[in-house]
Amino acid sequence: MFTTLKYRRHIAVLATLAMVASVMVAAPAVAADPEVDHKARYTACLGDATGSAGFEDVPAGHSSAGAIDCIAYYGITQGTSASTYSPSMSVTREHMALFLTRLAGLVGIEMTSTPDDAGFEDIGELSAESQTAINQLADLGITQGTSTTTYSPEDSVKRGHMALFIARLMNKMTKGLGGATPDDVVKSESEDKSPFTDLKGATKEAYDSITQLWELGVASGISATSYAPDASITRASMADFIAAVLGHSNARPAGLSIQAKTPSDFGMISDPGIVVSYRDDTFAAMEGIAIAIFALDPDDFDEEDGTCPNEGACKWSPNSDPTDTDGNIVYASGAVGDGDSLTVHAWMGDEDNDVFKLATANSVSVTVASMRDFNIMTASSDGNDNAGDITVAHAEAAGPLLINTDADSSLTITLQLQYDSDPADTDNAVADVARSGVEVNVDLLSQVGNATVYDNSSEAKLETDDKGRVTFTLNGPASTEGAGNNPDRDDTVTFTHLVSDNDTPGDTTDDTIITEVAYVRWSDVARTPTTAKVALGPKYQVIDKDGEISFRVTVRLYDQYGDPDGPADATHRAVLIVPGVTGDELSRVISTRGVATYSATVPASSINAGTAISVGATIDNVTATAGSVLPVTHAEDDGDAVDASSDNVIAVYADDNRFVITGGVMYTYDSDDTYLIDNESVDMAAFEKELDEDSIVDILVYNDDGASIFRIQTS
């Protein structure tokens, strides 16, 4: 079980940051792999280009399925048959020429249909299309053949050679919005930041081409650190490379399309970068095409027929914004706030009806979604969550997690990114933020008494995984077998994330840090009873015909390390504290498992429906954390309309589809019931989302086995 550690949480202005990480922290190895800095901001593989090409050997779950379908849509490949693509097959030099010349025509490279004969004597048996493609590549300077007189069309293309060919082609193409070419990648950046360690035997041009294509998001390795330049490239990888090249160009699907360069991100999206495009059936850019563009949430449209709520805002006319010479319109949408979303529609009008209807209009849309970014970090561990609090020298730590040195040698700590709408409120609900790649600094201070035994002096950085977490392991001090043989060691673990204002590079004046501090004490002192807990089972009990409630009580005793404490000599007794009940029957012996159980009945004289009953216990000098149960009565069920006076909800049991109002009256609900929020009809999920212990509910009709009507008042 994971334990939430005692911690100090704050957000402060950054003055200096000297965070250094411990050699005792077991962190994943950080690859020398830098980020892809020049990836295309848009894609050519959207809309109709995402439809299945029908290749039976490329299932939907294939890692290259999207790229293969995309290049088939653009006519770059016809497959190895009408129903197969053969993704694992190597690409021959003949097929490479066909792929690249078809690609060249789509990315703005002019080629003559009658290129000069390059003098390759081994291509005469090929089709006319293949011969033309090979001579076109030679004419463009993309390939010179395997010798002055041979092209070797049946040879497989090596991955290193393919990078050379594609890099040369990209440097001749027309860039699209948000696109780049190998020439745009700074050479020093390419040379210094190559993620691949197997390029030592490559020529400088091949080295640069491979690394520049990686920086462009075009070329990927066979692993994080291996490119395998001498291996043959597969048809699947070829499709991946070509689809990525298309994204850097102005190629877009035929007809109307819309996309955002940042469709989703954490926090405010300052520039979603929404672009509307129009292409003819040959994928050629069309200038001067009038397109109506407007931002409206789908919920804003009429529920019955999807009609635009403001006809003027959605209306298309010949005077609507026209596409530019590249067939595009950049739509100025403005920023999307943290946690908000924006839906933008593009429409060209209908022949017979100029009224926009969401379901029937010949339109496209894109939604930009901002996910709540984290503003706190919370640490938890695989230590025992029943460990008792102790006082230590650290002023900030009233109760660190206590670990038994004789029993445990390590502790795994997990740090979770979270969003808290009110960090100042310690009882406020928080939500996990699944943001990967967030850099967290870790600092460890270890002390024995007042002496520092370890204070790390080098900085360590961890990155969150796809769940927004980082994990590391603390190693405990060496232990001599037996209680009390070793001094206690206190570890203070500090996690820090820098939030830069991004205004001025290098200026940290207005930057902030988010900090989480966890405290751990390693000890081997003798076990002693420290904490106890009372559990009463269900949170509520229905008052019976005698006016009583009965429930089962479980008392558990723990030592200071959080382990069950039940001595074999039965010296510990738990004495229950139940309202209105006295006598010896309240005393039970704590078992060797540290547990005592009761069946308790509370008399009618001590029960008030709707008022929780607290049940406690003492074990020697240990006072248990009390449990509570709410006495309730079932609401009258006659199926008729009832008094619609306002009732305050005092408890909600959503798992049981029940809630309790003032006076301890319990109502049940299900999917057959009718729900209103104020006077608007909603479904059960919306009702449950609004229902809490501060709600005011009108029970308009109540029928436990039939249809009830509930209304929540929000104002």
Side-chain angles (χ1 to χ4, degrees):
M1 178 175 291
F2 263 61
T3 303
T4 299
L5 297 171
K6 305 296 180 181
Y7 59 85
R8 177 185 62 191
R9 175 193 301 166
H10 68 269
I11 301 175
V13 174
L14 177 65
T16 59
L17 180 61
M19 298 300 298
V20 285
S22 166
V23 295
M24 302 177 70
V25 173
V30 179
D33 187 352
E35 293 184 3
V36 174
D37 296 318
H38 299 274
K39 188 175 182 179
R41 303 307 300 270
Y42 299 97
T43 180
C45 303
L46 74 159
D48 291 342
T50 62
S52 174
F55 297 129
E56 296 174 359
D57 57 350
V58 185
H62 192 285
S63 60
S64 300
I68 293 169
D69 290 337
C70 181
I71 68 170
Y73 169 81
Y74 284 104
I76 295 173
T77 183
Q78 284 85 45
T80 51
S81 76
S83 59
T84 59
Y85 179 76
S86 305
S88 300
M89 184 184 293
S90 298
V91 177
T92 66
R93 288 173 58 86
E94 176 190 3
H95 291 160
M96 177 272 294
L98 292 169
F99 281 144
L100 294 192
T101 52
R102 293 166 185 165
L103 172 64
L106 287 164
V107 298
I109 298 175
E110 294 186 3
M111 297 178 298
T112 177
S113 59
T114 56
D116 293 337
D117 188 339
F120 299 132
E121 298 174 358
D122 57 351
I123 65 172
E125 300 292 322
L126 305 181
S127 68
E129 182 184 9
S130 292
Q131 292 185 53
T132 298
I134 292 168
N135 286 322
Q136 285 173 324
L137 286 189
D139 185 57
L140 291 170
I142 291 174
T143 181
Q144 289 80 42
T146 53
S147 76
T148 57
T149 59
T150 58
Y151 180 76
S152 306
E154 295 181 358
D155 286 358
S156 296
V157 181
K158 304 301 182 184
R159 288 172 55 86
H161 292 160
M162 183 55 65
L164 285 169
F165 301 150
I166 289 182
R168 292 167 184 166
L169 181 146
M170 288 189 72
N171 281 327
K172 297 178 182 294
M173 78 179 195
T174 301
K175 290 184 293 187
L177 286 169
T181 67
D183 282 345
D184 295 322
V185 179
V186 178
K187 284 193 174 183
S188 62
E189 180 180 81
S190 171
E191 293 168 353
D192 294 342
K193 291 189 175 182
S194 174
F196 305 120
T197 59
D198 58 350
L199 304 181
K200 293 181 180 179
T203 65
K204 185 178 187 306
E205 184 186 6
Y207 180 94
D208 286 346
S209 295
I210 292 167
T211 311
Q212 288 164 354
L213 290 184
W214 177 84
E215 286 277 5
L216 293 165
V218 171
S220 58
I222 61 171
S223 73
T225 57
S226 297
Y227 181 77
D230 295 326
S232 297
I233 192 167
T234 65
R235 290 171 58 86
S237 293
M238 187 73 175
D240 291 335
F241 285 24
I242 291 175
V245 172
L246 287 171
H248 285 281
S249 75
N250 198 41
R252 298 294 181 265
L256 186 63
S257 64
I258 186 171
Q259 59 184 309
K261 70 177 180 183
T262 309
S264 65
D265 203 352
F266 290 92
M268 185 181 75
I269 301 174
S270 58
D271 179 18
I274 295 173
V275 174
V276 177
S277 304
Y278 191 83
R279 305 290 184 268
D280 67 12
D281 291 340
T282 67
F283 311 119
M286 299 293 289
E287 181 182 5
I289 303 297
I291 302 173
I293 308 173
F294 50 92
L296 277 176
D297 190 281
D299 293 337
D300 293 334
F301 292 91
D302 184 88
E303 291 185 5
E304 294 184 4
D305 63 3
T307 302
C308 177
N310 183 346
E311 184 178 327
C314 306
K315 192 176 182 64
W316 175 88
S317 78
N319 296 321
S320 296
D321 290 341
T323 54
D324 60 19
T325 55
D326 293 323
N328 304 318
I329 301 172
V330 178
Y331 177 70
S333 64
V336 178
D338 188 7
D340 295 336
S341 65
L342 173 73
T343 300
V344 176
H345 306 265
W347 185 46
M348 295 179 61
D350 294 327
E351 291 183 2
D352 301 325
N353 192 349
D354 62 357
V355 176
F356 183 89
K357 293 187 178 182
L358 190 60
T360 60
N362 179 25
S363 65
V364 292
S365 65
V366 66
T367 297
V368 177
S370 164
M371 297 168 285
R372 286 287 190 190
D373 206 355
F374 72 100
N375 58 357
I376 62 170
M377 303 184 296
T378 300
S380 60
S381 82
D382 60 354
N384 197 323
D385 64 351
N386 294 308
D389 289 350
I390 59 174
T391 301
V392 294
H394 303 298
E396 306 95 330
L401 181 68
L402 187 62
I403 305 296
N404 186 355
T405 308
D406 285 332
D408 299 281
S409 60
S410 64
L411 177 74
T412 298
I413 300 178
T414 296
L415 188 76
Q416 174 70 60
L417 306 182
Q418 293 183 321
Y419 172 75
D420 188 341
S421 60
D422 185 5
D425 183 358
T426 57
D427 295 326
N428 197 46
V430 298
D432 291 349
V433 175
R435 179 177 175 181
S436 63
V438 174
E439 196 171 80
V440 178
N441 293 340
V442 184
D443 179 76
L444 172 66
L445 173 66
S446 294
Q447 294 175 296
V448 174
N450 294 322
T452 297
V453 295
Y454 187 81
D455 188 359
N456 51 327
S457 57
S458 61
E459 186 173 290
K461 300 179 185 297
L462 304 179
E463 284 193 355
T464 55
D465 61 17
D466 58 4
K467 293 183 179 179
R469 299 173 179 173
V470 295
T471 60
F472 61 93
T473 299
L474 280 176
N475 294 318
S479 174
T480 302
E481 189 68 26
N485 293 331
N486 305 108
D488 292 348
R489 190 185 85 189
D490 294 318
D491 289 347
T492 303
V493 187
T494 305
F495 312 92
T496 306
H497 171 72
L498 171 66
V499 183
S500 174
D501 64 358
N502 294 317
D503 289 341
T504 305
D507 180 10
T508 61
T509 304
D510 296 324
D511 292 350
T512 62
I513 56 172
I514 300 175
T515 300
E516 168 78 318
V517 183
Y519 302 92
V520 177
R521 168 168 283 186
W522 304 86
S523 178
D524 70 347
V525 298
R527 298 175 183 273
T528 182
T530 305
T531 60
K533 297 181 180 180
V534 174
L536 304 182
K539 298 295 185 182
Y540 62 89
Q541 290 289 342
V542 178
I543 301 172
D544 64 21
K545 60 182 178 58
D546 296 323
E548 299 176 335
I549 60 171
S550 299
F551 47 87
R552 189 165 183 79
V553 182
T554 302
V555 179
R556 298 182 184 276
L557 179 65
Y558 304 96
D559 63 24
Q560 72 270 40
Y561 302 113
D563 296 322
D565 190 334
D569 59 3
T571 56
H572 296 316
R573 298 186 69 86
V575 179
L576 205 65
I577 303 170
V578 182
V581 181
T582 59
D584 294 338
E585 70 273 13
L586 295 179
S587 177
R588 292 289 189 277
V589 174
I590 293 289
S591 73
T592 56
R593 295 180 294 109
V595 178
T597 59
Y598 302 79
S599 291
T601 298
V602 179
S605 59
S606 298
I607 293 176
N608 184 9
T611 300
I613 291 177
S614 178
V615 176
T618 59
I619 304 96
D620 296 339
N621 294 322
V622 179
T623 299
T625 302
S628 65
V629 63
L630 184 68
V632 299
T633 59
H634 284 301
E636 294 184 6
D637 178 12
D638 56 14
D640 296 328
V642 298
D643 182 12
S645 59
S646 299
D647 293 298
N648 293 319
V649 175
I650 61 172
V652 177
Y653 307 106
D655 290 343
D656 296 337
N657 288 3
R658 290 174 173 154
F659 65 88
V660 182
I661 64 172
T662 303
V665 181
M666 174 177 285
Y667 289 89
T668 64
Y669 59 90
D670 57 35
S671 58
D672 293 329
D673 296 332
T674 298
Y675 303 98
L676 303 171
I677 295 180
D678 294 326
N679 291 316
E680 180 180 351
S681 178
V682 298
D683 59 17
M684 191 174 88
F687 175 79
E688 286 188 310
K689 185 176 181 179
E690 188 70 30
L691 185 66
D692 57 34
E693 294 180 5
D694 295 323
S695 297
I696 299 175
V697 176
D698 297 334
I699 296 88
L700 304 180
V701 173
Y702 184 64
N703 189 327
D704 187 21
D705 298 321
S708 302
I709 303 176
F710 302 101
R711 178 174 64 199
I712 295 179
Q713 299 182 33
T714 62
S715 59

